[in-house]
Amino acid sequence: MRRRPAVLIVGGFGALTGTGTALLMLPGAAAGDESADFMTALFTSVSAVCVTGLYVVDTPMYWSVFGQVVVLCLMQLGGLGIMTMASVLSLLVLRRFGLRMQLTAQAETKTLGLGEVRRVLGLIVLVTALFESVVMLALTARLFAGYDRPLGRAAYEGAFYAVSAFNNGGFVLHSDNMMGFVADPWFCLPIIFAVIAGGLGFPVLLELGRRLRVPRRWSLHTKITVAGTAVLLVCGCGAITVAEWTNPATLGPLSPQTKLLAGFFAAVMPRSAGFNTVDIGSMYPATLLVQDVLMFIGGGSAGTAGGIKITTFALLAFVIHAEIRGEPTVHVMGRRLPEGVQRQALTIALLGVALVMTCTLVLLVITPFGLDQVLFEVVSAFATVGLSTGITPDIGVAGQALLVALMFIGRLGPITLASALALRERPRRYELPEERPIVG
């Protein structure tokens, strides 16, 4: 893990994806008489393992109960794997830089102890089980009491949605996604709670559990993640609700209270969840662009959310603020931001933009769809969100293969790139003469 983290991570997720593809191609996985073809199984497996939620077939109609359980397990293992690897890589990075300030023999081993890894893994499993159990009970009770579901079916749907929500998976058991629950706060709010919790990231959840009442003692990472999440949710909810308030195909026919609930739901889901209670394909272009931005930013680090992460976006904003003020260094909430972290944030953001633009251009060439739809689909795949305007099943095998690669890169790329940049950082032994080119 210390020497080749990227190889181990990509290999592990590749093996899990291959296993999921093989299981979904079994005769009993599809509800019909014929087995799923390779591309359908591969696309579904990658989307589940990368907790994206894009799909090329209708999950409740195409897959049997066995196939749905396979998707459920892939989401759970994918979510646990993402939180585990991101947390362990964070420990590796912190240990590496902590060594510079320690002189003990134990610190100089430059290794992450097996006991520490086991402790992290145990805590992640415990936190995941706790949140999913609470949400499952709430959803099961609501489906049983409010929708006359048999207890067994209510428990199954409650468990599926709890796992899908906390892991930001985006898979559903209803053909209209969650549009049938648009006016039901007792169903929507537990889903929102699970999505936000999973998107904050394991380090933040752990710190909030220990120091919830003393914000002044929170780490810089937790402060940025919590504050950034709040700002994005408020701004996103306001922008989406105002833009769609009179849209007859989305929020227009709803009551004011339901409009607010649906608007908030629509602002939370671009963090990486992929659920929708209104028709995404009928939203105005301005609303789609707002969701593009929210999806690209994503959620917290070392969590199940995708995107370039809130911390990356926030750090770039702090860098811009310092540059505008003419300050030589970047100060954030009483701390100075290292130059290496600034370069890492800039690298991840610009590479993400380049990847999204390149894939958007390719899909515009090989498909008949417009820019709004194609850009939305590409950003959703890169940020592993799962929201869709409905064009994914119709973009052809080549387009679907491109989205498969984009989901895999978008899920693992930012994490492995950030850790690789941090772990490879080393001092330069000399500097060349300085020369300042014209900027702007």
Side-chain angles (χ1 to χ4, degrees):
M1 171 61 82
R2 181 176 69 85
R3 294 181 178 180
R4 299 192 172 203
V7 174
L8 180 61
I9 291 170
V10 173
F13 272 77
L16 183 58
T17 297
T19 302
T21 302
L23 290 174
L24 291 175
M25 291 181 68
L26 293 176
D33 297 331
E34 297 183 359
S35 302
D37 61 88
F38 174 74
M39 179 52 69
T40 299
L42 175 64
F43 194 100
T44 304
S45 179
V46 171
S47 184
V49 170
C50 296
V51 289
T52 303
L54 286 175
Y55 41 82
V56 293
V57 293
D58 187 7
T59 302
M61 299 299 295
Y62 187 87
W63 301 110
S64 65
V65 174
F66 170 73
Q68 294 171 12
V69 172
V70 170
V71 172
L72 176 67
C73 294
L74 292 176
M75 286 191 295
Q76 184 70 85
L77 293 174
L80 285 173
I82 290 164
M83 287 191 290
T84 301
M85 72 172 185
S87 299
V88 171
L89 286 173
S90 299
L91 285 175
L92 283 172
V93 173
L94 292 175
R95 176 66 60 84
R96 161 108 182 233
F97 289 101
L99 291 175
R100 298 177 181 177
M101 299 179 288
Q102 299 177 24
L103 299 177
T104 62
Q106 181 181 4
E108 288 301 326
T109 59
K110 296 186 179 181
T111 59
L112 189 61
L114 182 60
E116 197 170 357
V117 174
R118 286 177 176 173
R119 178 173 173 272
V120 170
L121 180 58
L123 287 173
I124 289 175
V125 172
L126 180 62
V127 170
T128 300
L130 176 62
F131 277 95
E132 290 180 354
S133 298
V134 171
V135 175
M136 173 190 170
L137 291 175
L139 295 179
T140 299
R142 181 56 181 164
L143 291 170
F144 177 71
Y147 295 90
D148 297 326
R149 297 279 203 282
L151 183 58
R153 180 65 188 182
Y156 171 66
E157 291 187 17
F160 191 97
Y161 283 125
V163 171
S164 186
F166 183 75
N167 291 285
N168 285 212
F171 281 89
V172 294
L173 294 177
H174 296 85
S175 298
D176 62 351
N177 206 290
M178 292 188 178
M179 294 175 64
F181 303 101
V182 63
D184 188 356
W186 297 104
F187 188 89
C188 292
L189 291 179
I191 295 290
I192 289 173
F193 167 74
V195 170
I196 293 176
L200 286 175
F202 172 71
V204 174
L205 290 177
L206 188 61
E207 188 165 2
L208 291 179
R210 293 173 175 174
R211 304 171 178 172
L212 181 61
R213 298 183 179 181
V214 283
R216 66 180 182 278
R217 297 183 58 190
W218 292 355
S219 66
L220 180 61
H221 173 75
T222 297
K223 291 178 181 178
I224 292 176
T225 302
V226 172
T229 297
V231 170
L232 290 178
L233 290 180
V234 172
C235 294
C237 178
I240 293 172
T241 304
V242 170
E244 296 294 316
W245 190 267
T246 58
N247 188 340
T250 57
L251 301 185
L254 306 177
S255 67
Q257 296 86 352
T258 304
K259 288 180 180 180
L260 294 176
L261 176 63
F264 185 55
F265 193 94
V268 172
M269 295 309 123
R271 292 175 57 80
S272 191
F275 304 123
N276 61 279
T277 55
V278 294
D279 185 10
I280 299 296
S282 299
M283 286 182 170
Y284 293 136
T287 309
L288 294 180
L289 183 58
V290 170
Q291 292 196 313
D292 286 339
V293 174
L294 294 175
M295 289 191 296
F296 187 79
I297 296 173
S301 302
T304 54
I308 63 172
K309 302 298 186 296
I310 289 176
T311 46
T312 303
F313 178 78
L315 293 180
L316 292 178
F318 287 126
V319 170
I320 294 173
H321 180 261
E323 185 64 26
I324 292 175
R325 291 172 59 91
E327 298 174 350
T329 57
V330 181
H331 290 181
V332 180
M333 300 179 184
R335 295 289 187 271
R336 184 172 62 87
L337 196 64
E339 293 183 359
V341 174
Q342 300 174 39
R343 293 195 301 269
Q344 293 164 24
L346 183 62
T347 301
I348 292 173
L350 290 183
L351 287 179
V353 170
L355 184 61
V356 167
M357 291 299 99
T358 301
C359 293
T360 299
L361 178 60
V362 173
L363 282 184
L364 285 173
V365 172
I366 66 176
T367 67
F369 300 104
L371 176 61
D372 291 338
Q373 295 171 303
V374 170
L375 178 62
F376 191 92
E377 222 74 9
V378 168
V379 175
S380 181
F382 167 76
T384 65
V385 176
L387 291 175
S388 174
T389 57
I391 68 172
T392 300
D394 302 320
I395 60 176
V397 175
Q400 292 170 4
L402 180 64
L403 291 186
V404 166
L406 191 58
M407 285 188 290
F408 203 82
I409 296 173
R411 177 72 274 175
L412 302 182
I415 299 173
T416 54
L417 177 61
S419 60
L421 291 174
L423 292 172
R424 289 184 57 191
E425 186 172 304
R426 56 186 182 272
R428 189 188 294 272
R429 297 181 181 275
Y430 63 92
E431 292 290 346
L432 297 175
E434 182 178 296
E435 183 176 352
R436 187 181 184 90
I438 299 174
V439 178

